[in-house]
Amino acid sequence: PRVRRQRQMCIRDRDSPHYIKKSTNLLVQIGINKVFHTGDILDSYDERCELTHDELIKLHYKQIERFHDIWPTNITTYAILGNHDTKFKRLGIDLYKELSRDRFIILGTGGAYLKCSNYKIFLEHNVPTSALVPPHYNYDLILKGHSHFFKYKENRNIFRVASCSNIQPNSYSLGYYAPGFATLSTTNGLVIDGYNFTKDETVHTLTLKIKD
């Protein structure tokens, strides 16, 4: 039936656990032991999917279970909730409770401040109900999710991080539309390296020195 095909397409197109697994596998291989997650930890199946309320709840909990199966327990993660994550609340699902573990720490919704070595960093994700981000000059770097592409605004110290998802490529990016992630080094100043997934490879696509 037509409705059934629409349901299957909606679920398949918005599901990217393979990208999550590829990124975390590489992070473990290169010795990363701390992750900053800029939001949309999970996806939301909303009104664009023709599903019943019970089907929605079942799919959302299935995502939570799979996330715990995929996300490595030997990496400490500091995360914020994004706009897709906040939609879980409409189904009565508390992601603070469902996702929080000893080494997976949710700092807030839409934004959170943290320190990395001697650098001040703000994690940001566009969420309608979140507070405004404090002035950019208070931070050495703002890591911004939500936009699905790499982009750096030097005069504002804002780096938009690509998503582990192949939806919504954007022409305003640095030219790398593929799903991806970035690493942050403080060994010789504040340096960002970006990686993208292309076919079966993980490709290093950019290096930016933010501060000396």
Side-chain angles (χ1 to χ4, degrees):
R2 183 176 180 181
V3 170
R4 186 173 182 82
R5 286 200 299 271
Q6 288 175 340
R7 289 181 181 180
Q8 291 173 340
M9 182 178 298
C10 185
I11 294 168
R12 184 181 66 249
D13 288 351
R14 296 172 59 77
D15 197 8
S16 304
H18 53 291
Y19 290 125
I20 297 172
K21 194 167 183 65
K22 285 176 71 174
S23 63
T24 54
N25 283 346
L26 187 141
L27 294 178
V28 170
Q29 289 173 16
I30 63 178
I32 298 292
N33 58 12
K34 186 180 294 182
V35 168
F36 300 151
H37 198 306
T38 55
D40 285 352
I41 303 165
L42 302 176
D43 199 5
S44 57
Y45 304 104
D46 52 22
E47 61 277 359
R48 287 169 290 181
C49 295
E50 297 182 16
L51 301 173
T52 68
H53 183 75
D54 287 344
E55 286 174 328
L56 283 171
I57 291 177
K58 183 177 180 180
L59 282 173
H60 282 68
Y61 273 112
K62 186 176 180 180
Q63 273 200 86
I64 293 169
E65 292 174 6
R66 184 161 48 188
F67 176 82
H68 286 304
D69 289 339
I70 293 172
W71 202 263
T73 57
N74 57 341
I75 294 179
T76 299
T77 301
Y78 297 95
I80 58 173
L81 299 183
N83 58 300
H84 283 268
D85 302 315
T86 59
K87 293 179 181 180
F88 279 65
K89 190 174 182 180
R90 297 188 303 189
L91 296 173
I93 301 174
D94 183 351
L95 286 188
Y96 282 91
K97 177 181 177 182
E98 297 293 342
L99 297 182
S100 295
R101 297 291 187 270
D102 289 340
R103 302 194 71 175
F104 193 92
I105 303 156
I106 300 176
L107 300 174
T109 298
Y113 160 81
L114 49 81
K115 266 194 120 174
C116 181
S117 297
N118 293 319
Y119 298 103
K120 295 182 293 183
I121 295 175
F122 195 87
L123 307 182
E124 181 187 356
H125 195 108
N126 289 3
V127 175
T129 58
S130 63
L132 293 175
V133 177
H136 60 85
Y137 51 77
N138 288 336
Y139 301 96
D140 296 298
L141 178 65
I142 293 176
L143 295 174
K144 189 175 178 66
H146 185 71
S147 299
H148 293 253
F149 56 85
F150 289 135
K151 188 173 183 179
Y152 177 56
K153 294 184 178 180
E154 185 175 2
N155 62 327
R156 298 179 64 192
N157 290 345
I158 297 174
F159 182 73
R160 294 177 182 268
V161 186
S163 169
C164 285
S165 169
N166 58 4
I167 61 174
Q168 297 178 354
N170 194 300
S171 60
Y172 295 106
S173 73
L174 295 179
Y176 310 112
Y177 302 156
F181 63 96
T183 61
L184 183 66
S185 172
T186 59
T187 304
N188 297 301
L190 196 58
V191 179
I192 290 176
D193 284 285
Y195 298 83
N196 288 99
F197 304 121
T198 58
K199 295 183 179 179
D200 296 325
E201 296 182 303
T202 302
V203 182
H204 179 265
T205 47
L206 65 90
T207 297
L208 291 171
K209 189 158 190 176
I210 310 300
K211 281 201 169 188
D212 291 321

mmCIF file of all heavy atoms in Angstrom, residues 53-81:
data_model
loop_
_atom_site.group_PDB
_atom_site.id
_atom_site.type_symbol
_atom_site.label_atom_id
_atom_site.label_comp_id
_atom_site.label_asym_id
_atom_site.label_seq_id
_atom_site.Cartn_x
_atom_site.Cartn_y
_atom_site.Cartn_z
ATOM 1 N N HIS A 53 0.678 6.843 17.357
ATOM 2 C CA HIS A 53 1.371 7.268 18.578
ATOM 3 C C HIS A 53 2.199 6.123 19.159
ATOM 4 O O HIS A 53 3.359 6.320 19.552
ATOM 5 C CB HIS A 53 0.340 7.745 19.607
ATOM 6 C CG HIS A 53 0.943 8.263 20.872
ATOM 7 N ND1 HIS A 53 1.553 9.499 20.951
ATOM 8 C CD2 HIS A 53 1.062 7.703 22.111
ATOM 9 C CE1 HIS A 53 1.997 9.684 22.184
ATOM 10 N NE2 HIS A 53 1.713 8.616 22.900
ATOM 11 N N ASP A 54 1.629 4.922 19.203
ATOM 12 C CA ASP A 54 2.352 3.770 19.757
ATOM 13 C C ASP A 54 3.551 3.403 18.894
ATOM 14 O O ASP A 54 4.607 3.013 19.412
ATOM 15 C CB ASP A 54 1.413 2.562 19.880
ATOM 16 C CG ASP A 54 0.409 2.728 21.011
ATOM 17 O OD1 ASP A 54 0.629 3.612 21.876
ATOM 18 O OD2 ASP A 54 -0.606 1.999 21.018
ATOM 19 N N GLU A 55 3.410 3.519 17.575
ATOM 20 C CA GLU A 55 4.538 3.233 16.682
ATOM 21 C C GLU A 55 5.667 4.235 16.891
ATOM 22 O O GLU A 55 6.844 3.869 16.885
ATOM 23 C CB GLU A 55 4.071 3.267 15.222
ATOM 24 C CG GLU A 55 3.236 2.069 14.812
ATOM 25 C CD GLU A 55 2.663 2.209 13.411
ATOM 26 O OE1 GLU A 55 2.367 3.345 12.988
ATOM 27 O OE2 GLU A 55 2.517 1.178 12.727
ATOM 28 N N LEU A 56 5.311 5.498 17.081
ATOM 29 C CA LEU A 56 6.317 6.527 17.333
ATOM 30 C C LEU A 56 7.093 6.241 18.615
ATOM 31 O O LEU A 56 8.323 6.321 18.641
ATOM 32 C CB LEU A 56 5.650 7.902 17.422
ATOM 33 C CG LEU A 56 5.238 8.547 16.106
ATOM 34 C CD1 LEU A 56 4.398 9.787 16.368
ATOM 35 C CD2 LEU A 56 6.459 8.909 15.279
ATOM 36 N N ILE A 57 6.384 5.915 19.675
ATOM 37 C CA ILE A 57 7.043 5.624 20.949
ATOM 38 C C ILE A 57 7.992 4.435 20.806
ATOM 39 O O ILE A 57 9.136 4.472 21.271
ATOM 40 C CB ILE A 57 6.004 5.356 22.055
ATOM 41 C CG1 ILE A 57 5.263 6.654 22.396
ATOM 42 C CG2 ILE A 57 6.670 4.778 23.307
ATOM 43 C CD1 ILE A 57 4.170 6.481 23.420
ATOM 44 N N LYS A 58 7.524 3.397 20.136
ATOM 45 C CA LYS A 58 8.347 2.200 19.944
ATOM 46 C C LYS A 58 9.621 2.523 19.170
ATOM 47 O O LYS A 58 10.726 2.097 19.533
ATOM 48 C CB LYS A 58 7.537 1.132 19.209
ATOM 49 C CG LYS A 58 8.286 -0.184 19.033
ATOM 50 C CD LYS A 58 7.400 -1.223 18.362
ATOM 51 C CE LYS A 58 8.148 -2.538 18.176
ATOM 52 N NZ LYS A 58 7.275 -3.564 17.512
ATOM 53 N N LEU A 59 9.511 3.316 18.096
ATOM 54 C CA LEU A 59 10.673 3.662 17.289
ATOM 55 C C LEU A 59 11.658 4.540 18.052
ATOM 56 O O LEU A 59 12.870 4.397 17.925
ATOM 57 C CB LEU A 59 10.226 4.377 16.013
ATOM 58 C CG LEU A 59 9.663 3.488 14.910
ATOM 59 C CD1 LEU A 59 9.095 4.331 13.781
ATOM 60 C CD2 LEU A 59 10.745 2.560 14.369
ATOM 61 N N HIS A 60 11.133 5.459 18.873
ATOM 62 C CA HIS A 60 12.014 6.334 19.642
ATOM 63 C C HIS A 60 12.805 5.537 20.686
ATOM 64 O O HIS A 60 13.993 5.771 20.890
ATOM 65 C CB HIS A 60 11.201 7.444 20.306
ATOM 66 C CG HIS A 60 10.821 8.548 19.360
ATOM 67 N ND1 HIS A 60 9.940 8.361 18.334
ATOM 68 C CD2 HIS A 60 11.213 9.840 19.291
ATOM 69 C CE1 HIS A 60 9.802 9.491 17.658
ATOM 70 N NE2 HIS A 60 10.570 10.408 18.220
ATOM 71 N N TYR A 61 12.148 4.602 21.354
ATOM 72 C CA TYR A 61 12.863 3.771 22.335
ATOM 73 C C TYR A 61 13.846 2.826 21.649
ATOM 74 O O TYR A 61 14.910 2.514 22.202
ATOM 75 C CB TYR A 61 11.873 2.979 23.197
ATOM 76 C CG TYR A 61 11.410 3.758 24.409
ATOM 77 C CD1 TYR A 61 10.096 4.186 24.517
ATOM 78 C CD2 TYR A 61 12.293 4.078 25.435
ATOM 79 C CE1 TYR A 61 9.668 4.909 25.625
ATOM 80 C CE2 TYR A 61 11.880 4.806 26.540
ATOM 81 C CZ TYR A 61 10.567 5.219 26.632
ATOM 82 O OH TYR A 61 10.161 5.948 27.729
ATOM 83 N N LYS A 62 13.516 2.397 20.429
ATOM 84 C CA LYS A 62 14.448 1.553 19.680
ATOM 85 C C LYS A 62 15.721 2.323 19.363
ATOM 86 O O LYS A 62 16.829 1.775 19.422
ATOM 87 C CB LYS A 62 13.775 1.071 18.394
ATOM 88 C CG LYS A 62 14.605 0.062 17.612
ATOM 89 C CD LYS A 62 13.841 -0.453 16.398
ATOM 90 C CE LYS A 62 14.679 -1.472 15.632
ATOM 91 N NZ LYS A 62 13.948 -1.990 14.444
ATOM 92 N N GLN A 63 15.580 3.606 19.039
ATOM 93 C CA GLN A 63 16.756 4.447 18.805
ATOM 94 C C GLN A 63 17.628 4.547 20.046
ATOM 95 O O GLN A 63 18.850 4.488 19.973
ATOM 96 C CB GLN A 63 16.312 5.867 18.427
ATOM 97 C CG GLN A 63 16.050 6.092 16.973
ATOM 98 C CD GLN A 63 16.102 7.575 16.666
ATOM 99 O OE1 GLN A 63 17.180 8.119 16.415
ATOM 100 N NE2 GLN A 63 14.965 8.214 16.686
ATOM 101 N N ILE A 64 16.988 4.735 21.190
ATOM 102 C CA ILE A 64 17.729 4.849 22.453
ATOM 103 C C ILE A 64 18.524 3.570 22.719
ATOM 104 O O ILE A 64 19.700 3.615 23.084
ATOM 105 C CB ILE A 64 16.768 5.149 23.616
ATOM 106 C CG1 ILE A 64 16.170 6.555 23.448
ATOM 107 C CG2 ILE A 64 17.483 5.040 24.966
ATOM 108 C CD1 ILE A 64 15.025 6.857 24.396
ATOM 109 N N GLU A 65 17.883 2.422 22.528
ATOM 110 C CA GLU A 65 18.559 1.143 22.744
ATOM 111 C C GLU A 65 19.752 0.989 21.804
ATOM 112 O O GLU A 65 20.837 0.564 22.212
ATOM 113 C CB GLU A 65 17.566 -0.007 22.528
ATOM 114 C CG GLU A 65 16.474 -0.087 23.586
ATOM 115 C CD GLU A 65 15.440 -1.145 23.253
ATOM 116 O OE1 GLU A 65 15.651 -1.874 22.259
ATOM 117 O OE2 GLU A 65 14.430 -1.238 23.969
ATOM 118 N N ARG A 66 19.556 1.331 20.538
ATOM 119 C CA ARG A 66 20.633 1.181 19.557
ATOM 120 C C ARG A 66 21.769 2.159 19.848
ATOM 121 O O ARG A 66 22.942 1.835 19.659
ATOM 122 C CB ARG A 66 20.101 1.383 18.146
ATOM 123 C CG ARG A 66 21.156 1.150 17.083
ATOM 124 C CD ARG A 66 20.553 0.909 15.729
ATOM 125 N NE ARG A 66 19.547 1.897 15.398
ATOM 126 C CZ ARG A 66 18.746 1.832 14.330
ATOM 127 N NH1 ARG A 66 18.847 0.800 13.528
ATOM 128 N NH2 ARG A 66 17.872 2.769 14.071
ATOM 129 N N PHE A 67 21.421 3.352 20.303
ATOM 130 C CA PHE A 67 22.457 4.323 20.651
ATOM 131 C C PHE A 67 23.385 3.764 21.726
ATOM 132 O O PHE A 67 24.600 3.871 21.622
ATOM 133 C CB PHE A 67 21.815 5.624 21.129
ATOM 134 C CG PHE A 67 22.817 6.636 21.597
ATOM 135 C CD1 PHE A 67 23.480 7.438 20.694
ATOM 136 C CD2 PHE A 67 23.123 6.765 22.943
ATOM 137 C CE1 PHE A 67 24.425 8.370 21.112
ATOM 138 C CE2 PHE A 67 24.057 7.686 23.379
ATOM 139 C CZ PHE A 67 24.711 8.489 22.456
ATOM 140 N N HIS A 68 22.814 3.160 22.753
ATOM 141 C CA HIS A 68 23.641 2.590 23.822
ATOM 142 C C HIS A 68 24.470 1.412 23.317
ATOM 143 O O HIS A 68 25.565 1.169 23.828
ATOM 144 C CB HIS A 68 22.763 2.161 24.997
ATOM 145 C CG HIS A 68 22.238 3.310 25.796
ATOM 146 N ND1 HIS A 68 23.061 4.261 26.364
ATOM 147 C CD2 HIS A 68 20.971 3.676 26.123
ATOM 148 C CE1 HIS A 68 22.330 5.152 27.012
ATOM 149 N NE2 HIS A 68 21.072 4.834 26.875
ATOM 150 N N ASP A 69 23.965 0.699 22.306
ATOM 151 C CA ASP A 69 24.738 -0.397 21.720
ATOM 152 C C ASP A 69 25.917 0.127 20.908
ATOM 153 O O ASP A 69 26.978 -0.498 20.861
ATOM 154 C CB ASP A 69 23.845 -1.258 20.818
ATOM 155 C CG ASP A 69 22.842 -2.080 21.601
ATOM 156 O OD1 ASP A 69 23.076 -2.311 22.807
ATOM 157 O OD2 ASP A 69 21.816 -2.475 21.009
ATOM 158 N N ILE A 70 25.730 1.274 20.251
ATOM 159 C CA ILE A 70 26.738 1.812 19.344
ATOM 160 C C ILE A 70 27.768 2.681 20.046
ATOM 161 O O ILE A 70 28.971 2.584 19.779
ATOM 162 C CB ILE A 70 26.057 2.615 18.214
ATOM 163 C CG1 ILE A 70 25.240 1.691 17.315
ATOM 164 C CG2 ILE A 70 27.082 3.387 17.388
ATOM 165 C CD1 ILE A 70 24.401 2.431 16.298
ATOM 166 N N TRP A 71 27.317 3.568 20.949
ATOM 167 C CA TRP A 71 28.231 4.563 21.511
ATOM 168 C C TRP A 71 29.248 3.906 22.437
ATOM 169 O O TRP A 71 28.874 3.177 23.344
ATOM 170 C CB TRP A 71 27.446 5.618 22.286
ATOM 171 C CG TRP A 71 28.234 6.893 22.421
ATOM 172 C CD1 TRP A 71 28.984 7.272 23.490
ATOM 173 C CD2 TRP A 71 28.364 7.931 21.455
ATOM 174 N NE1 TRP A 71 29.585 8.494 23.254
ATOM 175 C CE2 TRP A 71 29.221 8.923 21.999
ATOM 176 C CE3 TRP A 71 27.850 8.128 20.170
ATOM 177 C CZ2 TRP A 71 29.568 10.079 21.306
ATOM 178 C CZ3 TRP A 71 28.188 9.271 19.488
ATOM 179 C CH2 TRP A 71 29.037 10.231 20.059
ATOM 180 N N PRO A 72 30.539 4.141 22.219
ATOM 181 C CA PRO A 72 31.567 3.478 23.035
ATOM 182 C C PRO A 72 31.545 3.944 24.483
ATOM 183 O O PRO A 72 31.356 5.131 24.761
ATOM 184 C CB PRO A 72 32.874 3.892 22.342
ATOM 185 C CG PRO A 72 32.546 5.143 21.615
ATOM 186 C CD PRO A 72 31.114 5.028 21.190
ATOM 187 N N THR A 73 31.745 3.013 25.384
ATOM 188 C CA THR A 73 31.703 3.333 26.816
ATOM 189 C C THR A 73 33.043 3.830 27.337
ATOM 190 O O THR A 73 33.134 4.271 28.480
ATOM 191 C CB THR A 73 31.280 2.094 27.618
ATOM 192 O OG1 THR A 73 32.198 1.020 27.346
ATOM 193 C CG2 THR A 73 29.864 1.664 27.250
ATOM 194 N N ASN A 74 34.098 3.766 26.517
ATOM 195 C CA ASN A 74 35.422 4.203 26.968
ATOM 196 C C ASN A 74 35.740 5.631 26.513
ATOM 197 O O ASN A 74 36.883 6.064 26.596
ATOM 198 C CB ASN A 74 36.506 3.240 26.472
ATOM 199 C CG ASN A 74 36.501 3.098 24.967
ATOM 200 O OD1 ASN A 74 35.518 3.409 24.303
ATOM 201 N ND2 ASN A 74 37.606 2.599 24.427
ATOM 202 N N ILE A 75 34.747 6.346 26.007
ATOM 203 C CA ILE A 75 34.907 7.749 25.641
ATOM 204 C C ILE A 75 33.980 8.594 26.511
ATOM 205 O O ILE A 75 32.781 8.327 26.577
ATOM 206 C CB ILE A 75 34.570 7.997 24.157
ATOM 207 C CG1 ILE A 75 35.579 7.284 23.246
ATOM 208 C CG2 ILE A 75 34.546 9.486 23.834
ATOM 209 C CD1 ILE A 75 35.300 7.470 21.773
ATOM 210 N N THR A 76 34.532 9.598 27.176
ATOM 211 C CA THR A 76 33.699 10.511 27.952
ATOM 212 C C THR A 76 33.083 11.542 27.010
ATOM 213 O O THR A 76 33.799 12.194 26.251
ATOM 214 C CB THR A 76 34.521 11.234 29.030
ATOM 215 O OG1 THR A 76 35.068 10.255 29.919
ATOM 216 C CG2 THR A 76 33.648 12.193 29.824
ATOM 217 N N THR A 77 31.768 11.659 27.033
ATOM 218 C CA THR A 77 31.058 12.554 26.127
ATOM 219 C C THR A 77 30.315 13.628 26.904
ATOM 220 O O THR A 77 29.595 13.330 27.861
ATOM 221 C CB THR A 77 30.050 11.771 25.266
ATOM 222 O OG1 THR A 77 30.743 10.777 24.511
ATOM 223 C CG2 THR A 77 29.298 12.697 24.317
ATOM 224 N N TYR A 78 30.511 14.874 26.482
ATOM 225 C CA TYR A 78 29.747 16.003 27.006
ATOM 226 C C TYR A 78 28.832 16.467 25.883
ATOM 227 O O TYR A 78 29.306 16.849 24.806
ATOM 228 C CB TYR A 78 30.670 17.125 27.447
ATOM 229 C CG TYR A 78 31.582 16.714 28.584
ATOM 230 C CD1 TYR A 78 32.879 16.263 28.318
ATOM 231 C CD2 TYR A 78 31.151 16.766 29.905
ATOM 232 C CE1 TYR A 78 33.718 15.877 29.351
ATOM 233 C CE2 TYR A 78 31.987 16.376 30.939
ATOM 234 C CZ TYR A 78 33.265 15.932 30.662
ATOM 235 O OH TYR A 78 34.095 15.543 31.684
ATOM 236 N N ALA A 79 27.528 16.431 26.116
ATOM 237 C CA ALA A 79 26.568 16.668 25.043
ATOM 238 C C ALA A 79 25.526 17.711 25.445
ATOM 239 O O ALA A 79 25.281 17.952 26.624
ATOM 240 C CB ALA A 79 25.868 15.359 24.675
ATOM 241 N N ILE A 80 24.948 18.325 24.416
ATOM 242 C CA ILE A 80 23.760 19.142 24.614
ATOM 243 C C ILE A 80 22.638 18.548 23.772
ATOM 244 O O ILE A 80 22.894 17.820 22.804
ATOM 245 C CB ILE A 80 23.996 20.619 24.223
ATOM 246 C CG1 ILE A 80 24.444 20.740 22.754
ATOM 247 C CG2 ILE A 80 25.003 21.268 25.153
ATOM 248 C CD1 ILE A 80 24.532 22.171 22.259
ATOM 249 N N LEU A 81 21.409 18.836 24.140
ATOM 250 C CA LEU A 81 20.270 18.365 23.377
ATOM 251 C C LEU A 81 19.950 19.373 22.269
ATOM 252 O O LEU A 81 19.980 20.583 22.490
ATOM 253 C CB LEU A 81 19.046 18.184 24.279
ATOM 254 C CG LEU A 81 19.178 17.170 25.418
ATOM 255 C CD1 LEU A 81 17.859 17.065 26.173
ATOM 256 C CD2 LEU A 81 19.607 15.801 24.909
#
